Short mmCIF file of all heavy atoms in Angstrom, two decimals:
data_model
loop_
_atom_site.label_atom_id
_atom_site.label_comp_id
_atom_site.label_asym_id
_atom_site.label_seq_id
_atom_site.Cartn_x
_atom_site.Cartn_y
_atom_site.Cartn_z
N ALA A 1 0.84 -1.19 0.00
CA ALA A 1 0.00 0.00 -0.01
C ALA A 1 0.89 1.25 0.01
O ALA A 1 1.99 1.23 0.49
CB ALA A 1 -0.91 -0.01 1.22
N ARG A 2 0.33 2.30 -0.55
CA ARG A 2 1.05 3.57 -0.61
C ARG A 2 0.69 4.41 0.60
O ARG A 2 -0.50 4.59 0.89
CB ARG A 2 0.67 4.27 -1.91
CG ARG A 2 1.52 5.42 -2.21
CD ARG A 2 1.30 5.78 -3.68
NE ARG A 2 1.83 7.07 -3.97
CZ ARG A 2 3.10 7.29 -4.27
NH1 ARG A 2 3.94 6.29 -4.35
NH2 ARG A 2 3.53 8.50 -4.52
N HIS A 3 1.67 4.92 1.30
CA HIS A 3 1.44 5.72 2.50
C HIS A 3 1.94 7.12 2.30
O HIS A 3 2.78 7.39 1.44
CB HIS A 3 2.16 5.07 3.70
CG HIS A 3 1.64 3.73 4.04
ND1 HIS A 3 2.27 2.57 3.66
CD2 HIS A 3 0.54 3.35 4.71
CE1 HIS A 3 1.58 1.55 4.09
NE2 HIS A 3 0.54 1.99 4.72
N ALA A 4 1.45 8.03 3.14
CA ALA A 4 1.92 9.40 3.14
C ALA A 4 3.41 9.41 3.45
O ALA A 4 3.91 8.50 4.14
CB ALA A 4 1.16 10.20 4.20
N PRO A 5 4.15 10.42 2.95
CA PRO A 5 5.60 10.47 3.19
C PRO A 5 6.00 10.37 4.66
O PRO A 5 6.96 9.68 4.99
CB PRO A 5 6.01 11.81 2.58
CG PRO A 5 4.98 12.08 1.55
CD PRO A 5 3.70 11.51 2.09
N CYS A 6 5.25 11.01 5.57
CA CYS A 6 5.64 10.93 6.98
C CYS A 6 5.48 9.52 7.52
O CYS A 6 6.28 9.07 8.34
CB CYS A 6 4.86 11.94 7.82
SG CYS A 6 3.10 11.61 7.98
N ILE A 7 4.47 8.80 7.04
CA ILE A 7 4.26 7.41 7.48
C ILE A 7 5.37 6.53 6.90
O ILE A 7 5.93 5.67 7.58
CB ILE A 7 2.87 6.89 7.06
CG1 ILE A 7 1.77 7.70 7.74
CG2 ILE A 7 2.73 5.42 7.35
CD1 ILE A 7 1.71 7.56 9.25
N ALA A 8 5.71 6.73 5.64
CA ALA A 8 6.76 5.94 5.00
C ALA A 8 8.11 6.14 5.71
O ALA A 8 8.83 5.18 5.98
CB ALA A 8 6.88 6.30 3.52
N ARG A 9 8.43 7.39 6.06
CA ARG A 9 9.69 7.67 6.79
C ARG A 9 9.66 7.06 8.17
O ARG A 9 10.65 6.49 8.63
CB ARG A 9 9.92 9.18 6.89
CG ARG A 9 10.59 9.79 5.68
CD ARG A 9 11.04 11.22 5.97
NE ARG A 9 9.95 12.06 6.45
CZ ARG A 9 9.05 12.68 5.67
NH1 ARG A 9 9.11 12.53 4.37
NH2 ARG A 9 8.12 13.43 6.19
N THR A 10 8.52 7.14 8.84
CA THR A 10 8.39 6.55 10.17
C THR A 10 8.57 5.05 10.09
O THR A 10 9.26 4.45 10.94
CB THR A 10 7.01 6.90 10.77
OG1 THR A 10 6.89 8.32 10.84
CG2 THR A 10 6.86 6.32 12.16
N LEU A 11 7.99 4.43 9.10
CA LEU A 11 8.13 2.98 8.91
C LEU A 11 9.59 2.61 8.69
O LEU A 11 10.09 1.65 9.28
CB LEU A 11 7.28 2.50 7.74
CG LEU A 11 7.26 1.01 7.47
CD1 LEU A 11 6.81 0.23 8.69
CD2 LEU A 11 6.36 0.71 6.29
N GLU A 12 10.30 3.38 7.87
CA GLU A 12 11.74 3.13 7.65
C GLU A 12 12.53 3.26 8.94
O GLU A 12 13.38 2.43 9.24
CB GLU A 12 12.28 4.10 6.62
CG GLU A 12 11.80 3.86 5.21
CD GLU A 12 12.25 4.95 4.24
OE1 GLU A 12 13.07 5.80 4.62
OE2 GLU A 12 11.76 4.93 3.09
N ASP A 13 12.23 4.29 9.72
CA ASP A 13 12.94 4.51 10.99
C ASP A 13 12.66 3.37 11.98
O ASP A 13 13.57 2.89 12.66
CB ASP A 13 12.56 5.84 11.63
CG ASP A 13 13.09 7.05 10.85
OD1 ASP A 13 13.98 6.85 10.00
OD2 ASP A 13 12.62 8.16 11.12
N LEU A 14 11.41 2.94 12.05
CA LEU A 14 11.07 1.84 12.95
C LEU A 14 11.74 0.54 12.50
O LEU A 14 12.26 -0.20 13.33
CB LEU A 14 9.55 1.65 13.00
CG LEU A 14 8.77 2.74 13.74
CD1 LEU A 14 7.27 2.57 13.48
CD2 LEU A 14 9.08 2.73 15.21
N ALA A 15 11.72 0.29 11.21
CA ALA A 15 12.34 -0.94 10.68
C ALA A 15 13.83 -0.96 10.98
O ALA A 15 14.41 -2.04 11.19
CB ALA A 15 12.08 -1.06 9.18
N ALA A 16 14.47 0.20 11.01
CA ALA A 16 15.91 0.26 11.30
C ALA A 16 16.22 0.01 12.77
O ALA A 16 17.31 -0.42 13.10
CB ALA A 16 16.46 1.62 10.89
N ARG A 17 15.25 0.24 13.63
CA ARG A 17 15.49 0.12 15.09
C ARG A 17 14.92 -1.13 15.74
O ARG A 17 15.32 -1.49 16.83
CB ARG A 17 14.91 1.34 15.79
CG ARG A 17 15.57 2.63 15.41
CD ARG A 17 14.90 3.77 16.10
NE ARG A 17 15.44 5.03 15.64
CZ ARG A 17 15.53 6.11 16.39
NH1 ARG A 17 15.13 6.07 17.64
NH2 ARG A 17 16.01 7.21 15.90
N LEU A 18 13.93 -1.74 15.09
CA LEU A 18 13.20 -2.85 15.72
C LEU A 18 13.38 -4.14 14.92
O LEU A 18 13.76 -4.12 13.76
CB LEU A 18 11.71 -2.51 15.81
CG LEU A 18 11.35 -1.24 16.59
CD1 LEU A 18 9.87 -0.97 16.46
CD2 LEU A 18 11.78 -1.34 18.03
N ALA A 19 13.05 -5.24 15.56
CA ALA A 19 13.07 -6.54 14.90
C ALA A 19 11.94 -6.58 13.87
O ALA A 19 10.89 -5.96 14.07
CB ALA A 19 12.90 -7.65 15.92
N PRO A 20 12.14 -7.31 12.78
CA PRO A 20 11.11 -7.38 11.72
C PRO A 20 9.73 -7.80 12.22
O PRO A 20 8.72 -7.31 11.73
CB PRO A 20 11.66 -8.39 10.72
CG PRO A 20 13.14 -8.35 10.94
CD PRO A 20 13.33 -8.06 12.41
N ASP A 21 9.68 -8.70 13.18
CA ASP A 21 8.37 -9.16 13.66
C ASP A 21 7.70 -8.19 14.63
O ASP A 21 6.59 -8.44 15.10
CB ASP A 21 8.47 -10.54 14.28
CG ASP A 21 9.33 -10.58 15.53
OD1 ASP A 21 10.17 -9.68 15.72
OD2 ASP A 21 9.16 -11.52 16.33
N GLU A 22 8.35 -7.06 14.92
CA GLU A 22 7.76 -6.07 15.82
C GLU A 22 7.01 -4.98 15.06
O GLU A 22 6.29 -4.19 15.67
CB GLU A 22 8.84 -5.42 16.69
CG GLU A 22 9.44 -6.35 17.70
CD GLU A 22 10.53 -5.70 18.52
OE1 GLU A 22 11.55 -5.28 17.94
OE2 GLU A 22 10.35 -5.62 19.76
N VAL A 23 7.16 -4.91 13.74
CA VAL A 23 6.55 -3.85 12.94
C VAL A 23 5.70 -4.48 11.84
O VAL A 23 6.17 -5.35 11.10
CB VAL A 23 7.63 -2.94 12.30
CG1 VAL A 23 6.99 -1.82 11.50
CG2 VAL A 23 8.57 -2.38 13.35
N ALA A 24 4.46 -4.02 11.73
CA ALA A 24 3.56 -4.51 10.67
C ALA A 24 2.86 -3.31 10.05
O ALA A 24 2.60 -2.30 10.72
CB ALA A 24 2.56 -5.49 11.24
N ILE A 25 2.52 -3.43 8.77
CA ILE A 25 1.81 -2.35 8.09
C ILE A 25 0.45 -2.82 7.61
O ILE A 25 0.22 -4.02 7.38
CB ILE A 25 2.63 -1.80 6.90
CG1 ILE A 25 2.95 -2.86 5.88
CG2 ILE A 25 3.90 -1.14 7.38
CD1 ILE A 25 3.56 -2.33 4.60
N ASP A 26 -0.47 -1.85 7.50
CA ASP A 26 -1.82 -2.11 7.02
C ASP A 26 -2.49 -3.25 7.77
O ASP A 26 -3.08 -4.15 7.17
CB ASP A 26 -1.82 -2.36 5.50
CG ASP A 26 -1.34 -1.14 4.73
OD1 ASP A 26 -1.65 -0.01 5.15
OD2 ASP A 26 -0.65 -1.32 3.72
N VAL A 27 -2.41 -3.22 9.06
CA VAL A 27 -2.99 -4.26 9.92
C VAL A 27 -4.48 -3.95 10.14
O VAL A 27 -4.82 -2.86 10.60
CB VAL A 27 -2.27 -4.33 11.27
CG1 VAL A 27 -2.94 -5.33 12.19
CG2 VAL A 27 -0.81 -4.67 11.05
N PRO A 28 -5.37 -4.88 9.85
CA PRO A 28 -6.79 -4.66 10.15
C PRO A 28 -6.99 -4.57 11.66
O PRO A 28 -6.62 -5.48 12.39
CB PRO A 28 -7.50 -5.89 9.58
CG PRO A 28 -6.51 -6.55 8.69
CD PRO A 28 -5.15 -6.16 9.19
N LEU A 29 -7.54 -3.45 12.10
CA LEU A 29 -7.76 -3.28 13.54
C LEU A 29 -8.72 -4.33 14.08
O LEU A 29 -8.73 -4.62 15.27
CB LEU A 29 -8.24 -1.86 13.83
CG LEU A 29 -7.20 -0.78 13.59
CD1 LEU A 29 -7.82 0.61 13.70
CD2 LEU A 29 -6.04 -0.92 14.56
N ALA A 30 -9.52 -4.91 13.21
CA ALA A 30 -10.43 -5.97 13.63
C ALA A 30 -9.69 -7.15 14.23
O ALA A 30 -10.23 -7.91 15.02
CB ALA A 30 -11.28 -6.43 12.43
N THR A 31 -8.42 -7.33 13.86
CA THR A 31 -7.65 -8.45 14.40
C THR A 31 -7.08 -8.14 15.79
O THR A 31 -6.55 -9.04 16.43
CB THR A 31 -6.47 -8.82 13.46
OG1 THR A 31 -5.57 -7.71 13.38
CG2 THR A 31 -6.98 -9.19 12.08
N LEU A 32 -7.20 -6.88 16.21
CA LEU A 32 -6.59 -6.50 17.48
C LEU A 32 -7.59 -6.33 18.63
O LEU A 32 -7.19 -6.38 19.80
CB LEU A 32 -5.81 -5.18 17.32
CG LEU A 32 -4.69 -5.20 16.28
CD1 LEU A 32 -4.07 -3.81 16.19
CD2 LEU A 32 -3.65 -6.24 16.64
N GLY A 33 -8.84 -6.09 18.33
CA GLY A 33 -9.84 -5.86 19.37
C GLY A 33 -10.78 -7.04 19.51
O GLY A 33 -10.94 -7.85 18.60
N ARG A 34 -11.39 -7.12 20.66
CA ARG A 34 -12.31 -8.23 20.90
C ARG A 34 -13.63 -8.10 20.16
O ARG A 34 -14.33 -9.09 19.98
CB ARG A 34 -12.54 -8.36 22.40
CG ARG A 34 -11.24 -8.64 23.10
CD ARG A 34 -11.40 -9.39 24.34
NE ARG A 34 -10.06 -9.51 24.92
CZ ARG A 34 -9.81 -10.11 26.02
NH1 ARG A 34 -10.78 -10.64 26.70
NH2 ARG A 34 -8.60 -10.19 26.49
N TRP A 35 -13.97 -6.89 19.74
CA TRP A 35 -15.22 -6.68 19.00
C TRP A 35 -15.07 -7.10 17.53
O TRP A 35 -16.05 -7.20 16.81
CB TRP A 35 -15.65 -5.22 19.08
CG TRP A 35 -16.08 -4.84 20.44
CD1 TRP A 35 -15.30 -4.27 21.42
CD2 TRP A 35 -17.37 -5.03 21.01
NE1 TRP A 35 -16.04 -4.11 22.55
CE2 TRP A 35 -17.33 -4.56 22.33
CE3 TRP A 35 -18.55 -5.55 20.52
CZ2 TRP A 35 -18.42 -4.57 23.17
CZ3 TRP A 35 -19.66 -5.57 21.37
CH2 TRP A 35 -19.58 -5.09 22.67
N ARG A 36 -13.84 -7.29 17.07
CA ARG A 36 -13.54 -7.77 15.70
C ARG A 36 -14.07 -6.84 14.60
O ARG A 36 -14.60 -7.30 13.60
CB ARG A 36 -14.07 -9.18 15.49
CG ARG A 36 -13.47 -10.19 16.44
CD ARG A 36 -12.01 -10.36 16.13
NE ARG A 36 -11.42 -11.35 17.03
CZ ARG A 36 -10.23 -11.21 17.59
NH1 ARG A 36 -9.50 -10.16 17.35
NH2 ARG A 36 -9.75 -12.12 18.37
N ILE A 37 -13.95 -5.52 14.84
CA ILE A 37 -14.30 -4.54 13.81
C ILE A 37 -13.17 -3.52 13.72
O ILE A 37 -12.38 -3.36 14.64
CB ILE A 37 -15.64 -3.84 14.08
CG1 ILE A 37 -15.58 -3.03 15.38
CG2 ILE A 37 -16.79 -4.82 14.10
CD1 ILE A 37 -16.77 -2.14 15.59
N GLY A 38 -13.10 -2.84 12.60
CA GLY A 38 -12.14 -1.77 12.42
C GLY A 38 -11.34 -1.92 11.14
O GLY A 38 -11.05 -3.04 10.72
N GLY A 39 -11.05 -0.80 10.54
CA GLY A 39 -10.28 -0.77 9.30
C GLY A 39 -8.80 -0.90 9.56
O GLY A 39 -8.36 -1.19 10.68
N PRO A 40 -7.98 -0.65 8.51
CA PRO A 40 -6.54 -0.86 8.64
C PRO A 40 -5.82 0.26 9.38
O PRO A 40 -6.17 1.42 9.26
CB PRO A 40 -6.07 -0.91 7.17
CG PRO A 40 -7.07 -0.07 6.45
CD PRO A 40 -8.37 -0.28 7.16
N ALA A 41 -4.83 -0.12 10.16
CA ALA A 41 -3.90 0.83 10.78
C ALA A 41 -2.67 0.89 9.86
O ALA A 41 -2.21 -0.13 9.38
CB ALA A 41 -3.48 0.35 12.16
N ASP A 42 -2.17 2.09 9.62
CA ASP A 42 -0.99 2.23 8.77
C ASP A 42 0.18 1.41 9.30
O ASP A 42 0.82 0.67 8.56
CB ASP A 42 -0.55 3.69 8.66
CG ASP A 42 -1.51 4.53 7.85
OD1 ASP A 42 -2.07 4.00 6.87
OD2 ASP A 42 -1.70 5.69 8.20
N ILE A 43 0.45 1.56 10.60
CA ILE A 43 1.56 0.83 11.23
C ILE A 43 1.11 0.32 12.59
O ILE A 43 0.48 1.05 13.35
CB ILE A 43 2.78 1.75 11.44
CG1 ILE A 43 3.26 2.36 10.13
CG2 ILE A 43 3.93 0.98 12.12
CD1 ILE A 43 4.33 3.43 10.31
N VAL A 44 1.44 -0.91 12.90
CA VAL A 44 1.24 -1.47 14.25
C VAL A 44 2.59 -1.98 14.72
O VAL A 44 3.26 -2.74 14.02
CB VAL A 44 0.20 -2.60 14.25
CG1 VAL A 44 0.17 -3.30 15.60
CG2 VAL A 44 -1.18 -2.07 13.89
N VAL A 45 2.96 -1.54 15.90
CA VAL A 45 4.23 -1.98 16.51
C VAL A 45 3.89 -2.79 17.75
O VAL A 45 3.10 -2.38 18.59
CB VAL A 45 5.12 -0.78 16.88
CG1 VAL A 45 6.39 -1.24 17.55
CG2 VAL A 45 5.42 0.05 15.64
N THR A 46 4.52 -3.95 17.85
CA THR A 46 4.37 -4.81 19.02
C THR A 46 5.75 -4.99 19.62
O THR A 46 6.46 -5.97 19.31
CB THR A 46 3.76 -6.17 18.62
OG1 THR A 46 2.57 -5.93 17.87
CG2 THR A 46 3.42 -7.00 19.84
N PRO A 47 6.19 -4.03 20.45
CA PRO A 47 7.54 -4.11 21.00
C PRO A 47 7.67 -5.27 21.99
O PRO A 47 6.75 -5.54 22.75
CB PRO A 47 7.73 -2.76 21.69
CG PRO A 47 6.37 -2.25 21.95
CD PRO A 47 5.48 -2.87 20.92
N ARG A 48 8.83 -5.92 21.94
CA ARG A 48 9.07 -7.06 22.83
C ARG A 48 9.92 -6.68 24.04
O ARG A 48 10.20 -7.54 24.88
CB ARG A 48 9.75 -8.19 22.06
CG ARG A 48 8.80 -8.84 21.06
CD ARG A 48 9.46 -10.01 20.38
NE ARG A 48 10.30 -9.47 19.32
CZ ARG A 48 11.45 -10.00 18.92
NH1 ARG A 48 11.91 -11.08 19.49
NH2 ARG A 48 12.14 -9.46 17.96
N SER A 49 10.33 -5.42 24.14
CA SER A 49 11.15 -4.99 25.28
C SER A 49 10.86 -3.52 25.57
O SER A 49 10.29 -2.81 24.75
CB SER A 49 12.63 -5.16 24.95
OG SER A 49 13.01 -4.25 23.94
N LEU A 50 11.28 -3.09 26.74
CA LEU A 50 11.15 -1.68 27.09
C LEU A 50 11.99 -0.81 26.18
O LEU A 50 11.60 0.32 25.82
CB LEU A 50 11.53 -1.44 28.55
CG LEU A 50 10.55 -1.98 29.58
CD1 LEU A 50 11.09 -1.77 31.00
CD2 LEU A 50 9.19 -1.32 29.42
N GLU A 51 13.15 -1.32 25.76
CA GLU A 51 14.00 -0.58 24.84
C GLU A 51 13.29 -0.38 23.49
O GLU A 51 13.31 0.72 22.92
CB GLU A 51 15.32 -1.32 24.61
CG GLU A 51 16.26 -0.60 23.68
CD GLU A 51 17.56 -1.37 23.46
OE1 GLU A 51 17.87 -2.29 24.23
OE2 GLU A 51 18.26 -1.01 22.51
N ALA A 52 12.63 -1.41 23.00
CA ALA A 52 11.89 -1.29 21.74
C ALA A 52 10.72 -0.33 21.88
O ALA A 52 10.45 0.45 20.97
CB ALA A 52 11.40 -2.67 21.29
N LEU A 53 10.05 -0.36 23.02
CA LEU A 53 8.96 0.58 23.28
C LEU A 53 9.49 1.99 23.29
O LEU A 53 8.91 2.89 22.66
CB LEU A 53 8.26 0.24 24.60
CG LEU A 53 7.17 1.23 25.03
CD1 LEU A 53 6.06 1.30 24.01
CD2 LEU A 53 6.65 0.83 26.41
N GLY A 54 10.60 2.22 23.98
CA GLY A 54 11.21 3.56 24.02
C GLY A 54 11.61 4.05 22.65
O GLY A 54 11.37 5.22 22.30
N SER A 55 12.20 3.18 21.85
CA SER A 55 12.59 3.53 20.49
C SER A 55 11.36 3.90 19.65
O SER A 55 11.37 4.86 18.88
CB SER A 55 13.34 2.39 19.81
OG SER A 55 14.59 2.18 20.41
N THR A 56 10.32 3.10 19.79
CA THR A 56 9.08 3.36 19.04
C THR A 56 8.49 4.72 19.40
O THR A 56 8.16 5.52 18.52
CB THR A 56 8.05 2.25 19.35
OG1 THR A 56 8.59 1.00 18.94
CG2 THR A 56 6.74 2.53 18.63
N LEU A 57 8.39 4.98 20.70
CA LEU A 57 7.81 6.26 21.13
C LEU A 57 8.67 7.45 20.68
O LEU A 57 8.14 8.50 20.30
CB LEU A 57 7.61 6.26 22.64
CG LEU A 57 6.56 5.27 23.14
CD1 LEU A 57 6.52 5.24 24.66
CD2 LEU A 57 5.19 5.58 22.56
N ALA A 58 9.98 7.28 20.68
CA ALA A 58 10.88 8.34 20.22
C ALA A 58 10.69 8.60 18.73
O ALA A 58 10.62 9.76 18.30
CB ALA A 58 12.32 7.98 20.51
N VAL A 59 10.59 7.56 17.94
CA VAL A 59 10.42 7.70 16.49
C VAL A 59 9.12 8.41 16.17
O VAL A 59 9.09 9.37 15.39
CB VAL A 59 10.50 6.33 15.77
CG1 VAL A 59 10.01 6.44 14.33
CG2 VAL A 59 11.92 5.79 15.81
N VAL A 60 8.01 7.98 16.75
CA VAL A 60 6.73 8.59 16.42
C VAL A 60 6.63 10.02 16.94
O VAL A 60 6.03 10.88 16.30
CB VAL A 60 5.51 7.73 16.85
CG1 VAL A 60 5.48 6.42 16.10
CG2 VAL A 60 5.47 7.51 18.33
N ALA A 61 7.24 10.29 18.08
CA ALA A 61 7.24 11.66 18.61
C ALA A 61 8.06 12.58 17.71
O ALA A 61 7.62 13.69 17.39
CB ALA A 61 7.79 11.68 20.04
N ASP A 62 9.22 12.13 17.29
CA ASP A 62 10.07 12.93 16.39
C ASP A 62 9.37 13.20 15.06
O ASP A 62 9.52 14.27 14.48
CB ASP A 62 11.40 12.24 16.14
CG ASP A 62 12.33 12.26 17.34
OD1 ASP A 62 12.05 13.01 18.30
OD2 ASP A 62 13.32 11.51 17.33
N ALA A 63 8.63 12.22 14.58
CA ALA A 63 7.94 12.35 13.28
C ALA A 63 6.64 13.12 13.38
O ALA A 63 6.10 13.54 12.37
CB ALA A 63 7.70 10.96 12.68
N GLY A 64 6.12 13.26 14.60
CA GLY A 64 4.82 13.91 14.77
C GLY A 64 3.65 13.10 14.27
O GLY A 64 2.61 13.63 13.90
N VAL A 65 3.83 11.79 14.25
CA VAL A 65 2.80 10.88 13.75
C VAL A 65 1.79 10.61 14.87
O VAL A 65 2.19 10.26 15.99
CB VAL A 65 3.43 9.56 13.27
CG1 VAL A 65 2.38 8.53 12.92
CG2 VAL A 65 4.36 9.82 12.09
N PRO A 66 0.50 10.78 14.58
CA PRO A 66 -0.50 10.45 15.60
C PRO A 66 -0.38 8.97 15.98
O PRO A 66 -0.20 8.12 15.11
CB PRO A 66 -1.85 10.71 14.91
CG PRO A 66 -1.53 11.54 13.72
CD PRO A 66 -0.11 11.24 13.34
N HIS A 67 -0.46 8.69 17.27
CA HIS A 67 -0.32 7.31 17.71
C HIS A 67 -1.10 7.09 18.99
O HIS A 67 -1.48 8.04 19.68
CB HIS A 67 1.16 6.96 17.94
CG HIS A 67 1.81 7.82 18.97
ND1 HIS A 67 2.24 9.10 18.70
CD2 HIS A 67 2.10 7.59 20.27
CE1 HIS A 67 2.76 9.62 19.79
NE2 HIS A 67 2.68 8.72 20.76
N ILE A 68 -1.33 5.83 19.29
CA ILE A 68 -1.99 5.44 20.53
C ILE A 68 -1.36 4.15 21.02
O ILE A 68 -1.00 3.28 20.22
CB ILE A 68 -3.52 5.28 20.34
CG1 ILE A 68 -4.20 5.01 21.67
CG2 ILE A 68 -3.83 4.20 19.33
CD1 ILE A 68 -5.71 5.14 21.60
N VAL A 69 -1.21 4.05 22.32
CA VAL A 69 -0.67 2.83 22.93
C VAL A 69 -1.88 2.06 23.48
O VAL A 69 -2.68 2.62 24.23
CB VAL A 69 0.33 3.16 24.06
CG1 VAL A 69 0.81 1.89 24.75
CG2 VAL A 69 1.49 3.98 23.52
N ILE A 70 -2.00 0.81 23.06
CA ILE A 70 -3.13 -0.01 23.53
C ILE A 70 -2.61 -1.26 24.22
O ILE A 70 -1.48 -1.66 24.03
CB ILE A 70 -4.09 -0.39 22.39
CG1 ILE A 70 -3.37 -1.23 21.33
CG2 ILE A 70 -4.69 0.85 21.76
CD1 ILE A 70 -4.30 -1.79 20.28
N GLY A 71 -3.47 -1.83 25.03
CA GLY A 71 -3.13 -3.09 25.71
C GLY A 71 -3.67 -4.25 24.90
O GLY A 71 -3.38 -4.40 23.73
N ASP A 72 -4.53 -5.05 25.51
CA ASP A 72 -5.03 -6.23 24.82
C ASP A 72 -6.27 -5.97 23.97
O ASP A 72 -6.78 -6.86 23.32
CB ASP A 72 -5.27 -7.38 25.79
CG ASP A 72 -6.44 -7.16 26.71
OD1 ASP A 72 -7.12 -6.13 26.62
OD2 ASP A 72 -6.70 -8.04 27.55
N GLY A 73 -6.78 -4.75 23.96
CA GLY A 73 -7.91 -4.40 23.11
C GLY A 73 -9.28 -4.81 23.60
O GLY A 73 -10.26 -4.70 22.88
N SER A 74 -9.37 -5.24 24.86
CA SER A 74 -10.65 -5.77 25.34
C SER A 74 -11.69 -4.67 25.55
O SER A 74 -12.88 -4.96 25.48
CB SER A 74 -10.44 -6.55 26.64
OG SER A 74 -9.95 -5.71 27.64
N ASN A 75 -11.30 -3.46 25.80
CA ASN A 75 -12.25 -2.37 26.03
C ASN A 75 -12.18 -1.30 24.95
O ASN A 75 -12.52 -0.16 25.19
CB ASN A 75 -12.00 -1.72 27.39
CG ASN A 75 -12.32 -2.67 28.51
OD1 ASN A 75 -13.30 -3.39 28.46
ND2 ASN A 75 -11.50 -2.67 29.54
N LEU A 76 -11.74 -1.68 23.75
CA LEU A 76 -11.62 -0.73 22.66
C LEU A 76 -12.54 -1.10 21.50
O LEU A 76 -12.69 -2.27 21.17
CB LEU A 76 -10.17 -0.68 22.14
CG LEU A 76 -9.14 -0.22 23.14
CD1 LEU A 76 -7.75 -0.36 22.53
CD2 LEU A 76 -9.39 1.23 23.53
N LEU A 77 -13.13 -0.07 20.92
CA LEU A 77 -13.96 -0.25 19.75
C LEU A 77 -13.34 0.59 18.65
O LEU A 77 -13.33 1.81 18.69
CB LEU A 77 -15.38 0.22 20.04
CG LEU A 77 -16.46 -0.04 19.02
CD1 LEU A 77 -16.60 -1.53 18.76
CD2 LEU A 77 -17.76 0.52 19.49
N PHE A 78 -12.73 -0.06 17.66
CA PHE A 78 -12.05 0.64 16.57
C PHE A 78 -13.04 0.99 15.48
O PHE A 78 -13.93 0.20 15.14
CB PHE A 78 -10.94 -0.25 15.96
CG PHE A 78 -9.87 -0.60 16.92
CD1 PHE A 78 -9.71 -1.90 17.35
CD2 PHE A 78 -9.01 0.38 17.41
CE1 PHE A 78 -8.69 -2.24 18.24
CE2 PHE A 78 -8.01 0.05 18.29
CZ PHE A 78 -7.84 -1.26 18.70
N ASP A 79 -12.88 2.16 14.90
CA ASP A 79 -13.74 2.61 13.82
C ASP A 79 -12.96 2.69 12.53
O ASP A 79 -11.85 3.09 12.49
CB ASP A 79 -14.31 3.97 14.17
CG ASP A 79 -15.29 4.47 13.13
OD1 ASP A 79 -15.72 3.70 12.27
OD2 ASP A 79 -15.62 5.67 13.20
#
């Protein structure tokens, strides 16, 4: 899929700092919440360590990309 330049740069930065299985693109939000609804997220990061979480938050903050940190998705309804 084609993404906005800021998303593409953010994806490149994340890929350079994280393990390949920690970064995914165009993930259907329906696969993340218990209600099983929701369209695609440009990028989903599943950090496996505090260091990876810190790197992720630094990258998205530097890029100014809107983001949200979620837990297991049990109380979220994605639109």
